[in-house]
Amino acid sequence: MKNTTPWWQTRIVYQIYPRSFCDSNDDGIGDIPGIISKLDYLVDLGVGIIWLSPVYRSPNEDMGYDISGYREINPEYGTMEDMKELIREAKKRDLRIIMDLVINHTSDEHPWFIESRKSRDNPYRDFYIWRPGKTNPLDKGGKPLPPNNWSSFFTGSAWEYDRTTKEFYLRLFSKKQPDLNWHNPQVLSAVKDIMTFWLDLGIDGFRCDVINIIYKTSLKNGRKRISLVGQEWYNTQPGCHEILKELRKEVLSKYDCFVVGETVLTKVEQARALCPPDRSELDMVFTFEHVECHQFNNKWFKTPFHPHLLMNTLIRWQQEVDWNTLYLENHDQPRSTTRFGSKEYSRESAKMLALLLLTLRGTPFIYQGQEIGMTNGEFNSIADFRDVEAHTVWEISSRLKFPRWLRMKMLRFTSRDNARTPMQWDGSPNGGFSPSPDTEAWLRVNSNCTAINVAQQKEDEGSLLSWYKKLIQLRKTTPQLLGGTFKLLYKDKHIYSYQRSLTSLSDSSEKIAVVVLNYSPKHKSYPPALAQRLKSLQDVRILASVYPCTDTLPPYAAFILEAVI
C-alpha cells in the first residue's frame, strides 16, 4: 500500500538565517557558500527540510524582509550560481529547501515602488496603496494627516507621507516596506510568476511571511485599541482566502511542494479555515499564541513567565488543530532557553524543551543554534542593536520619557536581534562564524560561545546537541511520535503528561508513547492519578529520559515511555 503521508509531515525543518549562519569569505556576514559548507552538519543532525530566510536582493532595512529584487540574490550572500549550487547540493543529501515568500510588502527600493511614487498616474501606482491625507486639520508641520488611524506593527502610524506626489502610502511595518495592493490583479499575476520562477529552479515550497494580512478589505478607521488599530480590516479577510486558493490552484498544485504561512493575530478557528483538509490554501500555519503567552498587550511589555501559560496554549492547539507547526524560537523570537528555560538548570530545562518540541503532533521547526542551547545576545547600548524595530521602539519610548534602564530592559529581553547573533560553531573569539577569529561579525557574537558551541558539544554524548540528534532519530523511527494522535493524560501547574497513539494496520494493536514533564526547578512527587496511569501500562520501555528514571521527578525531568495497549 502506497504511503500517502505528505513528506512535510515526516521531516523536521531547520531554519537558517543566512546573515548569521556561516561566513565563508571573511567579511563578517553569513553567505550561501557558508550554508553549503554546513549541509553535512544538517544531515548529521537529522533534519530533512531547510527553511531559508530571505536571500533576495534587499537594502536590509528589515534584514532581507524588504525585497528589492525577487529574482536576484543579495550580493552579500553570493550569486544566483551559488543559490543553484545550494539547491543541487541539498538534493544530493535529500534535503528539501523552502524559501521565504514576502508578498505583503516590498522594499521602497523595488523598481515597482520607485515607479509608483513618480506620479499619481504612473502605471505602477496601483501596485501599492496610495491615498490622499486628511487636509482638515493639518498637523503641526502643515502636512496633511494620515488617511485613517491605523497603527504599524513597528509602532506609530501605518501611513507614510510622500512629498513627491503629496499622498500617503500604507506600510504596516517599516516606512521602507510599502504594502502591495492585492486588489490589483497585476500584483497577483506578478507574484505567480515569482513563485513559478523559484519552484522551477528546484526549491520545494515557501514560508509565506505575514500571509494572512495581505488583503485589506477596507481603509476605514479601526476600532481604538492599545495596539494595532485597524487590524479588523486586514486580519484573515475573505479576500485573503481567495488569493491563497488562486495561488494553490494556478501555481502550487503543479508542484510537489509545501507551503506554511506565518499568520499573525490568528486564533484556532482562523487557523483551521486556512488549512482545510483538501489543502486548497495553506498546508500549515505558524501561530503566535504560545510565544505571546506572557506579554501584556504587545510584545514589549511582559508579564512574569509561568510554565502553565505556555503549556496550556500548546495543549489547546494540539487538541483543536489537526497538524501544527511546532516551534519555540525563530528569527523573530528571543531564544527559548533564555525565555522558557532555567538559568540554574540550563542544560536540563533545554533538554526538557527539546523533548516537548519533538514529541507533539505536527512538524517541528528548529532554529539555528537552538540545538546547542544558544542564549539571548549581549547588548549594552542601542548602538549594539541592528534591528530596525528595536531602533524604532527606542526612539518612541525615548519620546515617551521611559527611563534608559527600562528601554534597555525591553530591548534586551525582546529584540529580534537576540535570535540573530552569529551561529556558535566553536570556542574561538568569533565563535567560528568567520574563517579568521579576529573578523568582526555584523552583529556581536555572544561571549558564551566559549562554553556553548557545536565543536564542544559534538564530542559530548551528554550534550544538548547529542540529545537533539537522539530525539530526532527517535521521532523518525517511532511511528506513534511521527503520526500518532495526541491525548492529554494529566496536567497541573508543573507536571504534564500526554500520550501519542497509533493503531497498527497489521494486528490492530495500539502502540503508544507516553510523555511526562516536570516543568519546574523543584523535585516533584508523581501525582497519584499519573502514577496510577503509568503503573497500568504493560510492555513498557524507556525511549529517552533527561535523568535516570526514579521514584520522583527531578527539576525539569522529562521522559518518553513506549507501551502497547
Side-chain angles (χ1 to χ4, degrees), residues 13 21 86 108 115 155 193 249 288 290 300 315 353 404 408 416 419 436 461 472 503 561:
V13 185
F21 190 61
L86 172 60
D108 67 346
E115 289 296 315
T155 70
D193 289 344
K249 178 182 177 183
F288 287 78
H290 67 296
W300 298 99
I315 289 166
L353 289 170
R404 184 184 183 280
M408 282 303 301
R416 300 184 298 180
S436 302
E461 291 185 1
I472 289 170
T503 302
L561 302 177

Coordinates of all heavy atoms in Angstrom, one line a residue, residues 13 21 86 108 115 155 193 249 288 290 300 315 353 404 408 416 419 436 461 472 503 561:
V13 N 12.1 20.5 10.2 CA 12.6 21.7 9.5 C 13.7 22.4 10.3 O 13.6 22.4 11.5 CB 11.5 22.7 9.2 CG1 12.0 23.9 8.4 CG2 10.3 22.0 8.5
F21 N 24.5 32.6 9.8 CA 24.8 31.2 9.9 C 26.3 30.8 9.7 O 26.9 30.2 10.6 CB 23.9 30.4 8.9 CG 23.9 28.9 9.0 CD1 23.5 28.3 10.2 CD2 24.4 28.1 8.0 CE1 23.5 27.0 10.4 CE2 24.4 26.7 8.2 CZ 23.9 26.1 9.4
L86 N 23.6 25.5 -4.1 CA 23.0 25.1 -2.8 C 21.8 24.1 -3.1 O 21.7 23.1 -2.4 CB 22.5 26.3 -2.1 CG 21.6 26.1 -0.8 CD1 22.4 25.3 0.2 CD2 21.2 27.4 -0.2
D108 N 11.0 49.8 -0.5 CA 10.7 51.1 -1.3 C 11.7 51.3 -2.3 O 11.6 52.2 -3.2 CB 10.6 52.3 -0.3 CG 11.9 52.7 0.3 OD1 12.9 51.8 0.3 OD2 12.0 53.8 0.9
E115 N 8.8 53.4 -9.4 CA 7.9 53.9 -10.5 C 6.7 54.4 -9.8 O 6.2 55.5 -10.2 CB 7.6 52.8 -11.5 CG 8.8 52.4 -12.4 CD 9.2 53.5 -13.3 OE1 8.3 54.2 -13.9 OE2 10.4 53.8 -13.4
T155 N 5.1 50.1 15.6 CA 4.6 51.3 16.3 C 4.5 52.5 15.5 O 5.1 52.7 14.4 CB 5.5 51.6 17.5 OG1 6.8 52.2 17.1 CG2 5.8 50.4 18.4
D193 N 4.2 34.6 -11.1 CA 5.5 34.5 -11.9 C 6.7 34.3 -11.0 O 7.6 33.5 -11.3 CB 5.7 35.7 -12.8 CG 4.7 35.7 -13.9 OD1 4.0 34.7 -14.2 OD2 4.5 36.8 -14.5
K249 N -4.2 26.9 -6.7 CA -4.8 26.3 -8.0 C -3.8 26.5 -9.2 O -3.5 25.6 -10.0 CB -6.1 26.9 -8.2 CG -6.8 26.3 -9.6 CD -8.1 27.0 -9.8 CE -8.7 26.6 -11.1 NZ -10.0 27.3 -11.4
F288 N 1.0 32.3 17.0 CA 1.9 33.1 17.9 C 1.4 33.0 19.3 O 2.0 33.5 20.2 CB 1.9 34.6 17.4 CG 2.7 34.8 16.2 CD1 2.3 34.5 15.0 CD2 4.0 35.3 16.3 CE1 3.0 34.7 13.8 CE2 4.8 35.5 15.2 CZ 4.3 35.2 13.9
H290 N 1.3 30.8 21.7 CA 2.1 30.2 22.7 C 3.3 31.1 23.0 O 3.8 31.2 24.2 CB 2.5 28.8 22.4 CG 3.5 28.7 21.2 ND1 3.1 29.0 19.9 CD2 4.8 28.2 21.2 CE1 4.1 28.8 19.1 NE2 5.1 28.3 19.8
W300 N 6.4 44.1 23.8 CA 7.5 44.8 24.5 C 7.2 44.9 26.0 O 8.1 45.3 26.8 CB 7.6 46.2 23.9 CG 8.1 46.1 22.5 CD1 7.3 46.2 21.4 CD2 9.4 45.8 22.0 NE1 8.0 46.1 20.2 CE2 9.3 45.8 20.6 CE3 10.6 45.6 22.6 CZ2 10.4 45.6 19.8 CZ3 11.7 45.4 21.8 CH2 11.6 45.4 20.5
I315 N -1.2 22.8 24.4 CA -2.2 21.7 24.6 C -3.5 22.0 23.8 O -4.0 21.1 23.1 CB -2.5 21.4 26.1 CG1 -1.2 20.7 26.7 CG2 -3.7 20.4 26.2 CD1 -1.2 20.7 28.2
L353 N 12.7 21.1 27.0 CA 12.0 21.8 26.0 C 12.2 21.1 24.6 O 11.3 21.1 23.8 CB 12.6 23.3 25.9 CG 12.2 24.2 27.0 CD1 13.0 25.5 27.0 CD2 10.7 24.5 27.0
R404 N 16.1 55.2 30.7 CA 17.0 54.4 29.9 C 17.1 52.9 30.3 O 17.1 52.0 29.5 CB 18.4 55.0 29.9 CG 19.4 54.2 29.0 CD 20.8 54.8 29.1 NE 21.7 54.1 28.1 CZ 22.2 52.9 28.3 NH1 21.9 52.2 29.4 NH2 23.0 52.3 27.4
M408 N 16.3 49.7 27.8 CA 17.3 48.7 27.6 C 16.8 47.3 28.0 O 17.0 46.3 27.4 CB 18.6 49.0 28.3 CG 19.5 50.0 27.7 SD 19.9 49.6 25.9 CE 20.8 48.1 26.1
R416 N 14.4 41.3 18.4 CA 14.7 40.2 17.4 C 16.2 39.9 17.2 O 16.5 38.8 16.8 CB 14.0 40.5 16.1 CG 12.5 40.7 16.2 CD 11.9 40.9 14.8 NE 12.4 42.1 14.1 CZ 12.0 42.5 12.9 NH1 11.1 41.8 12.3 NH2 12.4 43.6 12.4
A419 N 17.9 36.6 18.5 CA 17.9 35.3 17.8 C 18.9 35.4 16.6 O 19.2 34.4 16.0 CB 16.6 35.0 17.2
S436 N 38.5 33.8 9.9 CA 39.6 34.5 10.7 C 39.0 34.8 12.1 O 37.9 35.5 12.1 CB 40.1 35.7 10.1 OG 40.7 35.5 8.8
E461 N 28.6 13.1 24.6 CA 27.4 12.4 24.5 C 26.2 12.9 25.3 O 25.1 12.6 25.1 CB 27.7 10.9 24.8 CG 28.5 10.2 23.8 CD 28.7 8.7 24.1 OE1 28.1 8.2 25.1 OE2 29.4 8.0 23.3
I472 N 15.6 13.4 17.5 CA 15.2 13.4 16.0 C 15.2 12.0 15.5 O 14.2 11.6 14.7 CB 16.2 14.3 15.3 CG1 16.0 15.8 15.7 CG2 16.0 14.2 13.8 CD1 17.0 16.8 15.1
T503 N -2.6 3.1 15.9 CA -3.1 1.7 15.7 C -2.5 1.0 14.6 O -2.4 1.5 13.5 CB -4.7 1.7 15.5 OG1 -5.3 2.4 16.6 CG2 -5.2 0.3 15.4
L561 N 8.0 7.1 27.4 CA 7.8 5.6 27.6 C 7.1 5.1 26.4 O 6.1 5.7 25.9 CB 7.0 5.3 28.9 CG 7.5 5.8 30.2 CD1 6.6 5.5 31.3 CD2 8.9 5.2 30.5

